[in-house]
Amino acid sequence: SDLFISLAWNESREALKELVERTILYFSGLQRSQFPDRKVSLIAGIYFIEGSDEDIDTAIENSNLTRKRMKKQYNGSACEVYTRELRDQREAEKHIVNEFETALENRHFKVFIQPKFMLDSMELSGGEALVRWQKPDGKMVFPDQFIPILEKSGAIVRLDFFVFEEVLRYMRKWAMEGRTLHRISVNFSRRHFEGEGIYKRICEMTDAYQVDHKYIEVEITESMLVSGLDIVHTEMKLLREAGFSVAIDDFGTGYSSLSMLHDMPADIVKMDKSFLDKNDMEEEREFIERIGALIRSVKEEIIFEGVETPQQVEFLVDCGFRYGQGYLYDRPLPIQVFEEKYMK
């Protein structure tokens, strides 16, 4: 691919780092002079082998870990050196992966529901299932601290279906008690589609709990639709045909196109909160109204995430939008609290 490994030595670490930096700058200069219209960047992660008994695979992994962090948080540097901080981060990630099975078995993962509302009436329109990790000491771990790590390891597949089954279990309970059901969305990772997908299992589990398909909303990210995996489009179409709703999360975060809107196998488009994070909403009015008109032209609902102020609600209602979720309405609640507060 475009990854290269070099084993180098010099009289000092500083001299080695300088050598790598010089090489990268020389390469970049040649690129600019020969191909001025093309932007090709080169970055390097460096790991210093400290003893003859060090494992070469670990050395490569450590240097690549440094390179990946540079790529993610690019600040213009040509190279960086592996640090203790990265080693601690890697150990923390391993610890989370190792703890996962026991935590899942002991039900330390807790399902929360964030309510969704009608913008104009404050009437409940549904909810989104989220997950928190409650450690034995009572400390609550938030998704951004473990979801990316479980994504990387593949354990996210089991966690997603754990959350889904908890939602089904409560929905069956609510139906048996005669409560009014609302549509609940559940997030599914792209890792599912690197295997056999989710359609068959979602159908089997929903039917086993005797929950009407119309109350389940399957939520995937916009980036998954442009991932090149045909199974994503195929399974979303099958789910819709089976009566489930499909929602596209994070819409407008960098992947959107007009052609994608037309071909999108979805019922709901969730507008990323960045659409509302503007200093002057009125300057964005025409743009947001036109985006809404385009989405509605392919008969899909629109829900705005991150609604936090009455002014945002007034603006969205005035633009013709109907649904929203955010801290203005309510924060994510433990599913038992959501039941007490909203399931009548």
Side-chain angles (χ1 to χ4, degrees), residues 35 37-38 73 105 157 181 189 212 231 265 271 297 333-334:
F35 308 100
D37 296 332
R38 300 287 181 266
Q73 305 172 345
E105 184 179 330
V157 170
L181 296 185
S189 162
D212 193 318
I231 188 175
M271 305 294 282
S297 71
L333 305 168

Side-chain angles (χ1 to χ4, degrees), residues 181-192:
L181 296 185
H182 298 275
R183 192 167 63 197
I184 304 292
S185 65
V186 181
N187 295 275
F188 287 90
S189 162
R190 65 179 296 148
R191 293 301 296 263
H192 294 275

Side-chain angles (χ1 to χ4, degrees), residues 117-132:
F117 289 89
M118 301 288 292
L119 288 168
D120 56 353
S121 65
M122 296 288 285
E123 180 184 347
L124 185 75
S125 66
E128 177 183 358
L130 304 167
V131 66
R132 305 286 186 265

Side-chain angles (χ1 to χ4, degrees), residues 82-94:
Y82 181 83
T83 63
R84 179 73 199 182
E85 177 192 350
L86 275 172
R87 181 183 287 121
D88 292 343
Q89 178 185 328
R90 190 181 66 174
E91 291 304 315
E93 289 181 1
K94 286 182 178 179

Side-chain angles (χ1 to χ4, degrees), residues 310-338:
Q311 291 77 17
Q312 289 172 339
V313 172
E314 183 180 349
F315 173 82
L316 291 173
V317 170
D318 197 38
C319 289
F321 297 105
R322 300 176 61 201
Y323 301 100
Q325 72 181 89
Y327 286 178
L328 176 67
Y329 299 104
D330 216 333
R331 293 174 179 269
L333 305 168
I335 195 166
Q336 302 92 335
V337 177
F338 176 84

Side-chain angles (χ1 to χ4, degrees), residues 255-269:
Y255 298 91
S256 312
S257 71
L258 297 179
S259 60
M260 179 184 151
L261 263 178
H262 184 267
D263 299 330
M264 192 183 290
D267 305 282
I268 300 106
V269 172

Side-chain angles (χ1 to χ4, degrees), residues 164-165 167-177 181 201-216 244:
F164 181 53
E165 187 162 16
V167 169
L168 290 174
R169 191 164 66 85
Y170 270 88
M171 292 190 94
R172 178 61 184 160
K173 172 179 178 286
W174 295 335
M176 294 288 288
E177 293 171 351
L181 296 185
R201 192 170 175 189
I202 282 178
C203 288
E204 289 174 349
M205 291 175 66
T206 306
D207 293 342
Y209 279 92
Q210 299 179 317
V211 174
D212 193 318
H213 293 189
K214 70 181 181 182
Y215 294 118
I216 300 297
F244 296 94

